[in-house]
Amino acid sequence: MVTATGLSPKATAAIAEIEKADDWGLEAHDFVVPQPVAAGATPEALADAEVALSLAVLKYARYARGGRIADPATQLSSYLDRGPQLLDPKDVLEKIAAAGEPDAYLRGLHPKHPQFEKLRQKYLELRSGAVTPPTIVRIPDGGHISPGKRDPQVALLRERLEVPLPAATAGKPVDENFYDDGLKAAVTAFQKEHGMRPDGIVGNSTRAALNDFEVLSPKKVLANMEEWRWMPDDLGDLYVTVNIPEFTLRIVKNGAVIHTERVITGLPDKQTPVFSESMKTIIFKPRWNVPESIKVLELWPSLARGGTYFQRQGLRVSQNGREIDPLSVDWGSSDIRKFDIYQPPGGSNVLGELKFAFPNKHTVYMHDTPNKNLFDEASRPFSHGCMRVRNPRRMAEILLYEDKGWDAAKIAELLATGPDNNEVQIEKKIGVHITYFTAWVDEKGELQTARDVYGHEKRITQALEGRWSEIVKGPNHLAPVQTPESVAYASGNPLKSINDFFSSALGGGF
């Protein structure tokens, strides 16, 4: 793009596009582009300009494809199992040289997912000030605010929930500090939405929830745009996606959402990882094979102390295919990793009646649960990392209809009379994308946000701003599980009791 007489029109167009990098969520000052070359410049000067432009193009291509954070799994968190969708440098240089419009080629390097462009437009609006984030009122510390009573914070509460004052009646002025029935209805609706007791009383927990909001900023949108740079270019014609901060599962066919469902995801210290795989198997009436980490860190300490939860929870033990009486094992001296521990199918099985498997190095999957009450919570990070689906039967009906043409009656028959642990193989390509988007644009064109439950958004923002030393990566969840000997009664690291464990399992899950 540099000729004997200087920069060509194509070179000028490429430089002009690179200088607009800020409009794409990048930073123009990161790219060093050549200055105009004077007429009669030396061959060395022309060569320098060519090299400078080539390097700028390659860097732009790398950043457009998510390369500002080269390896999220090691640089940010082991739970972020995604990476930049980088292109071959030789291919980039060849294609931009052959492009009739090199500026259009550079723009085409950015993600083509519709959500990326929608977020970019919202980013431009926020950056320009065309959209002003709403001012949300905070409720200061104080006593209980109760219905039917006066309180100086009632006016603030009314403003926070956008409840107008009632109309004045003849001879009776409106008291803005009186907590009336209209405001109570708004408060109880808020409490229900946030999983609290809907009594209308604004105490410490309701006040904290009312004050638990974020002021939308361009940084939040930028972090989510960056995550789209790590997503596969082709999500598939049919795929299942779970957005962790939203606690929502969607089935998408030909770009349209055909099913939406609530899910429960991992606790902050047992996170659901972010990655993509393919659905391989749907298991009817599955058995639960206890993961090694739970065997070592949670079951073994109780067994070594003589705990009896094996019998009460219906867990079984086998070794080399042979059933073993757990009471016959000296768990204080035995290595629990040498035993298979499982819960057979049944009404109390923690996986419920269906399991959806998409083999991955994180050993997580989606499944049913016998306990449905936690799906009513607004925020649902309760599991050991797997995703619990509120209505897995409907999910199975949709996927198996698409894969095999089966109807709902066939699914019901297999669940009623089919064999236990019945693995139905999926033949069709069905993608599974576990995502972590805290900002997205809905079907109405409105920007929606969710809380940064695992801190990934914060880490991405820190990295984009070059604040690498501030990033708290957390432990590597893929590291080998410690041996029982190293875990046993570790000083300063008390193990969770088996009672707490099964309370979490049956009420908060795996």
Side-chain angles (χ1 to χ4, degrees):
M1 290 191 288
V2 176
T3 68
T5 58
L7 299 178
S8 69
K10 291 174 65 173
T12 302
I15 291 171
E17 187 61 40
I18 291 172
E19 289 175 340
K20 298 176 185 175
D22 292 45
D23 292 346
W24 292 87
L26 306 180
E27 297 186 9
H29 62 71
D30 284 338
F31 310 100
V32 180
V33 296
Q35 297 300 309
V37 181
T42 65
E44 290 79 7
L46 293 172
D48 287 345
E50 181 74 34
V51 170
L53 182 54
S54 296
L55 290 175
V57 166
L58 289 175
K59 189 173 186 180
Y60 188 95
R62 182 177 181 83
Y63 282 16
R65 307 291 294 182
R68 284 185 288 183
I69 303 173
D71 187 1
T74 58
Q75 293 174 293
L76 304 183
S77 167
S78 64
Y79 289 105
L80 278 172
D81 187 12
R82 292 205 185 279
Q85 303 293 299
L86 300 180
L87 302 172
D88 178 72
K90 180 175 179 290
D91 188 53
V92 170
L93 292 178
E94 288 177 349
K95 286 186 176 179
I96 195 168
E101 298 179 350
D103 52 340
Y105 171 76
L106 290 172
R107 290 192 294 272
L109 294 172
H110 296 280
K112 296 179 176 62
H113 303 295
Q115 268 295 318
F116 177 84
E117 179 59 21
K118 290 178 181 179
L119 284 172
R120 187 177 81 90
Q121 292 301 323
K122 293 298 181 183
Y123 168 70
L124 293 175
E125 292 175 5
L126 286 168
R127 192 186 66 177
S128 67
V131 174
T132 303
T135 300
I136 303 179
V137 174
R138 292 186 181 274
I139 312 299
D141 292 340
H144 284 46
I145 309 174
S146 301
K149 297 182 179 180
R150 298 185 74 258
D151 191 287
Q153 290 189 4
V154 166
L156 292 175
L157 182 61
R158 191 180 292 279
E159 185 177 355
R160 170 66 178 85
L161 295 175
E162 300 179 352
V163 178
L165 282 168
T169 57
K172 186 178 180 181
V174 176
D175 184 353
E176 67 174 8
N177 292 324
F178 179 72
Y179 190 163
D180 61 16
D181 290 341
L183 181 57
K184 180 182 178 182
V187 171
T188 54
F190 177 88
Q191 290 172 325
K192 287 180 181 178
E193 182 182 348
H194 288 76
M196 294 180 284
R197 180 182 177 187
D199 56 11
I201 299 173
V202 180
N204 291 336
S205 59
T206 301
R207 183 179 271 105
L210 287 164
N211 291 333
D212 185 21
F213 58 82
E214 295 179 294
V215 177
L216 183 62
S217 70
K219 289 182 179 181
K220 188 179 189 76
V221 179
L222 279 178
N224 284 271
M225 288 172 62
E226 197 69 15
E227 287 193 79
W228 276 108
R229 301 184 196 276
W230 304 338
M231 290 291 288
D233 288 338
D234 183 7
L235 300 180
D237 296 331
L238 177 67
Y239 62 88
V240 179
T241 182
V242 170
N243 189 29
I244 296 167
E246 195 184 0
F247 306 105
T248 298
L249 174 150
R250 294 177 176 87
I251 300 177
V252 181
K253 181 180 180 182
N254 297 327
V257 176
I258 61 173
H259 181 66
T260 302
E261 187 53 273
R262 294 186 180 190
V263 296
I264 289 170
T265 61
L267 292 155
D269 64 340
K270 298 178 180 66
Q271 299 175 18
T272 297
V274 179
F275 66 100
S276 291
E277 269 298 344
S278 295
M279 187 75 70
K280 297 297 184 184
T281 314
I282 298 178
I283 301 96
F284 288 69
K285 296 188 286 188
R287 90 175 199 172
W288 178 51
N289 299 303
V290 181
E292 188 164 292
S293 60
I294 294 177
K295 287 195 298 186
V296 171
L297 298 177
E298 305 187 36
L299 284 177
W300 177 78
S302 176
L303 294 174
R305 294 192 297 268
T308 61
Y309 244 86
F310 257 81
Q311 298 91 316
R312 283 187 282 163
Q313 295 300 332
L315 293 180
R316 296 182 184 176
V317 183
S318 67
Q319 189 175 45
N320 300 322
R322 182 174 63 88
E323 291 288 323
I324 293 175
D325 180 357
L327 297 179
S328 69
V329 180
D330 180 2
W331 295 109
S333 61
S334 298
D335 186 344
I336 199 170
R337 295 171 301 175
K338 296 180 179 179
F339 298 86
D340 296 316
I341 301 176
Y342 66 95
Q343 187 182 38
S348 62
N349 185 285
V350 296
L351 302 187
E353 64 180 20
L354 285 160
K355 171 183 173 181
F356 303 85
F358 35 97
N360 58 86
K361 65 184 178 183
H362 308 280
T363 63
V364 298
Y365 42 86
M366 301 174 194
H367 64 89
D368 183 22
T369 172
N371 190 307
K372 305 290 187 180
N373 65 308
L374 289 177
F375 288 109
D376 293 332
E377 300 286 341
S379 181
R380 299 184 287 276
F382 302 126
S383 80
H384 272 62
C386 290
M387 291 143 281
R388 305 175 73 185
V389 183
R390 183 174 60 174
N391 186 355
R393 184 177 293 206
R394 180 58 186 148
M395 179 175 168
E397 290 171 355
I398 294 171
L399 296 183
L400 290 172
Y401 173 79
E402 294 291 338
D403 184 61
K404 304 181 185 304
W406 291 359
D407 60 12
K410 174 71 171 179
I411 308 302
E413 178 187 359
L414 286 173
L415 289 171
T417 62
D420 287 346
N421 212 52
N422 180 18
E423 298 186 359
V424 177
Q425 303 300 316
I426 299 297
E427 306 299 332
K428 192 171 184 176
K429 173 74 172 178
I430 301 177
V432 178
H433 305 289
I434 313 303
T435 67
Y436 190 91
F437 293 114
T438 56
W440 63 96
V441 180
D442 65 17
E443 61 278 1
K444 298 179 182 178
E446 297 178 357
L447 183 61
Q448 302 295 329
T449 62
R451 300 295 297 179
D452 186 15
V453 289
Y454 294 162
H456 293 328
E457 177 200 314
K458 179 179 179 180
R459 295 182 183 94
I460 294 169
T461 298
Q462 289 171 327
L464 294 180
E465 295 178 348
R467 295 153 51 202
W468 295 97
S469 62
E470 300 177 26
I471 296 173
V472 179
K473 293 187 287 187
N476 179 8
H477 76 288
L478 295 173
V481 180
Q482 290 177 285
T483 62
E485 291 80 6
S486 65
V487 170
Y489 311 108
S491 176
N493 183 28
L495 290 164
K496 187 179 185 180
S497 75
I498 194 66
N499 287 300
D500 287 346
F501 164 66
F502 268 102
S503 293
S504 172
L506 297 177
F510 297 93

